[in-house]
Amino acid sequence: MAILSALLSVVLGLTVSFLIFFSLNWLVERTNDKWKARLLPYVFLFPVIILVSVFLLYPAIRTFVESFMEQSQRRGEGATFVGLDNYIDLFTSSSFLGILLNNLLWVLVVPAGAVLIGLLVAVLTDKLGKKRETTFKAMIFLPMAISGVAAAVTWRFIYFYAPPGNPQIYLLNAIWTSVTGQDPVPWLTLDAGRLNSFLIMFIAIWLQVGFAMVLLSAAIKGVPEETIEAGRLDGAGERKLFFSVIVPQIRGTILAVFVTITIFVMKIFDIIYAMTGGQYNTSVLAVDFYNQLFSFQNPGKAAAVVVVLMIAVVPLIVYQVRSYKSQEELR
């Protein structure tokens, strides 16, 4: 049923878009050449502008407005304007400040870890034979094919906890109890030093390494062989050759991958919700939005959380667009 619904949505969307384009193109074709040249670009842009306005711009404006409202608890009464109260409540709450700290740690750790490991894997697999390179890359890229929830379920068998006296079927506690002889540890409840958050971050890194590896490997293969040979003739070793010749030439790809993973991390929800539900100081902005909206029935605060998330993501998107533009100018 879900597949049929998705197919109908795609077919209906394409049909409507084609009819809009065909109608506008038919009208433009009946104008003179001067107006045709002016109007033709808008024939292609108009459906996109409509879709962006309806599905992106309008919801964003509506969310921004609702962040200044509070839903009345009395039945039949609508929302009331409360000004900045929702934002003041959030930023004076120690739990929300902890959520912001978690988001900051995710932004600092996951993109850097995924890019570094992806770059290392790209370099190492590039030195293997063609068949072995393809096999290893396929294995490393495989986690990208599963969802965050599926990844969380997979890693439950590593991180979860069976009480003392029960068989330790979870890998990390099985190793811990066999090596130390101590009781099993509920790893995902240990928030000292944000240990449980770092354990969940490793799942996100595991998911994103394949993405980073594929793009960085393609960038490395695109480095002109002449520059590498010139470096070798100058007496540069493999390490210096990599950092002084190859890395500067793939810097744009590294930054693009880093920013893309950072945007993914800013919106992370499914892995955390499936592992801890945001408990034990593991919550982030997207999880807090869900809790505010559905658990606490507070759409005003939920909208304020979304606005904070949008404000945090927008500079990254602007930087990525400018980076693409500068790369295009260099070409």
Side-chain angles (χ1 to χ4, degrees):
M1 188 65 184
I3 296 175
L4 180 61
S5 176
L7 288 173
L8 287 174
S9 299
V10 171
V11 171
L12 183 62
L14 290 174
T15 303
V16 171
S17 299
F18 175 77
L19 289 175
I20 293 173
F21 166 75
F22 181 81
S23 302
L24 292 174
N25 188 65
W26 182 83
L27 291 172
V28 171
E29 288 293 334
R30 274 145 184 78
T31 61
N32 57 48
D33 292 339
K34 181 180 178 181
W35 280 101
K36 187 186 299 184
R38 289 181 178 180
L39 294 175
L40 196 57
Y42 296 99
V43 171
F44 295 94
L45 290 174
F46 185 74
V48 177
I49 293 172
I50 293 296
L51 291 173
V52 169
S53 300
V54 171
F55 294 106
L56 289 179
L57 188 59
Y58 172 73
I61 295 173
R62 181 69 183 270
T63 300
F64 181 74
V65 172
E66 287 191 0
S67 69
F68 299 102
M69 312 294 286
E70 183 178 2
Q71 193 71 31
S72 176
Q73 298 299 320
R74 295 181 181 180
R75 184 171 297 179
E77 293 188 8
T80 56
F81 180 78
V82 294
L84 296 173
D85 286 359
N86 289 324
Y87 293 96
I88 293 171
D89 289 345
L90 287 177
F91 285 97
T92 55
S93 167
S94 58
S95 62
F96 186 74
L97 295 178
I99 288 169
L100 290 178
L101 175 61
N102 281 341
N103 255 98
L104 178 62
L105 290 174
W106 274 81
V107 168
L108 292 175
V109 173
V110 175
V115 169
L116 288 175
I117 297 174
L119 185 60
L120 178 64
V121 172
V123 172
L124 293 178
T125 54
D126 194 43
K127 297 183 181 300
L128 300 173
K130 186 64 176 177
K131 287 186 178 180
R132 285 184 295 176
E133 178 186 1
T134 304
T135 302
F136 276 100
K137 282 185 176 179
M139 291 170 59
I140 294 166
F141 189 78
L142 190 60
M144 282 289 297
I146 64 176
S147 67
V149 174
V153 171
T154 302
W155 281 78
R156 279 172 179 243
F157 292 99
I158 297 175
Y159 289 154
F160 264 40
Y161 164 84
N166 293 294
Q168 295 304 316
I169 61 173
Y170 303 109
L171 180 62
L172 193 55
N173 269 316
I175 296 172
W176 173 262
T177 54
S178 62
V179 171
T180 65
Q182 299 182 21
D183 289 338
V185 177
W187 300 102
L188 293 177
T189 67
L190 300 181
D191 59 351
R194 293 294 198 274
L195 175 62
N196 48 5
S197 291
F198 285 113
L199 292 175
I200 301 173
M201 287 177 204
F202 193 80
I203 303 175
I205 293 174
W206 177 69
L207 283 174
Q208 293 297 312
V209 161
F211 167 74
M213 174 203 65
V214 168
L215 294 185
L216 294 173
S217 178
I220 291 172
K221 290 181 183 298
V223 173
E225 192 66 31
E226 296 82 2
T227 59
I228 298 175
E229 290 300 326
R232 288 199 177 101
L233 291 174
D234 288 339
E238 289 299 319
R239 182 182 299 178
K240 188 175 181 180
L241 194 66
F242 178 73
F243 287 105
S244 300
V245 178
I246 296 176
V247 168
Q249 295 186 74
I250 64 170
R251 179 177 173 274
T253 304
I254 293 174
L255 290 176
V257 172
F258 187 90
V259 172
T260 303
I261 297 176
T262 302
I263 294 173
F264 160 79
V265 165
M266 291 293 294
K267 302 178 293 181
I268 196 76
F269 169 80
D270 46 6
I271 299 173
I272 298 171
Y273 196 80
M275 294 297 286
T276 63
Q279 300 180 75
Y280 316 114
N281 290 327
T282 59
S283 185
V284 292
L285 287 172
V287 176
D288 189 50
F289 157 75
Y290 180 89
N291 290 332
Q292 291 288 351
L293 185 60
F294 296 105
S295 300
F296 307 141
Q297 299 294 312
N298 197 336
K301 260 187 192 175
V305 172
V306 173
V307 171
V308 172
L309 182 57
M310 286 193 296
I311 291 172
V313 170
V314 164
L316 295 171
I317 297 174
V318 171
Y319 174 81
Q320 191 171 32
V321 170
R322 287 183 176 178
S323 177
Y324 284 145
K325 283 185 177 179
S326 62
Q327 290 179 39
E328 289 294 329
E329 289 173 359
L330 290 174
R331 291 176 188 175

